[in-house]
Amino acid sequence: MTSKTILSLRSRPMASILAPGPGRRGFLMGSAVGATAALASLAGLSQAAAAAPSRRMPVIFIGHGTPMNAIADNAFTRRLSAWGKELPQPTAILSVSAHWLSRGATGVGAQARPKTIHDFGGFPQALFDVDYPAPGHPALARETIGVVKQSPVIATDQWGLDHGTWSVLKHLYPKADVPVFQLSIDYDKPAAFHYAVGRDLAALRDKGVLVMGSGNVVHNLRATDRGTVDGPKASRPWAQSFDDAVKSALAGRDDRALIGYEKLEGASTAVATPDHYFPFLYALGAAGQGERAKTIYEGFQSGTLSMRCVQFG
């Protein structure tokens, strides 16, 4: 069982945290920080990664599925491992994960050493023992505040790397030697807003930042077929229909259709709540209009969970 954690970023500068226990849905209250002084004191860490690659970094979206993929050996995780070797080496990774939701503003992780968050319950101890000790990138976190024009962006040290981030990076970059920082999803905002924030984030690509969305284009845990063998096709027509519609719209870069996903066939069940779909819109927005989507992986886990992964650029 995974949790949906929402960080309130409305007004108070820094206060206590009310954190949900494993497997529960809950709120992190009043945990935002202005963090100007803190970021300045942490900026030295980022100097080690100051040289940005000469080429523009691609944008990726990953269907992350169950947290168990972090320690699993299957077709999906083997493809992630191979993909990591194909991608250019980034200066840093900015992850937009389905598992960090906020209200009132967008949060950005400003830690020098973000913690590994085990935001789930009911899984084997081996999963809780996983640590992904990648450094953060405070300087790029600070720069992100200025890059995003759609919303107030507030630096915070009260989050870290949740399983939407580390469960896939563990395969893409197993050495945890690339700095990683997360951006939250303002859950009060509509789909078009998230796409627009993605457009803003595109500026970071020229600074060596790999923008990564991590969610699932089809995600409805109440309608999964547990125990179903992983496969290329969904076990339910509505899941296959929606995944096919997304694939078709991507092929034609029909961004308008993907932003208005509610009108796609099967959407009402495939996207029962939009938390896992929204990260896809950040990746789509960060991709230039002329960049075609390259399918890296497609298929289903638990019958109806789309594991679609794409790359732009």
Side-chain angles (χ1 to χ4, degrees), residues 112-116 130-136 161 166 174-178 180:
R113 291 286 172 183
K115 61 185 177 182
T116 302
V130 174
D131 183 46
Y132 192 76
L161 306 181
W166 61 258
K175 294 181 181 179
D177 55 353
V178 179
V180 184

Side-chain angles (χ1 to χ4, degrees), residues 4 6 59-64 94-103 105-106 183-199 201 211-219 242 246 255 257-262 270-286 310 312:
K4 182 186 294 184
I6 302 179
V59 177
I60 64 176
F61 171 76
I62 300 178
H64 65 244
L94 186 160
S95 174
V96 182
S97 165
H99 295 278
W100 188 17
L101 308 178
S102 58
R103 280 190 163 142
T106 299
L183 191 79
S184 77
I185 297 169
D186 187 342
Y187 211 41
D188 286 339
K189 299 295 194 297
F193 169 86
H194 304 295
Y195 177 84
V197 174
R199 292 289 295 271
L201 296 176
V211 177
M212 179 182 83
S214 179
N216 294 96
V217 294
V218 179
H219 185 274
F242 187 80
V246 168
D255 291 13
L258 293 166
I259 295 167
Y261 66 91
E262 300 99 329
V271 188
T273 58
D275 43 291
H276 276 68
Y277 186 84
F278 282 163
F280 169 68
L281 294 180
Y282 284 80
L284 186 69
V310 297
F312 301 91

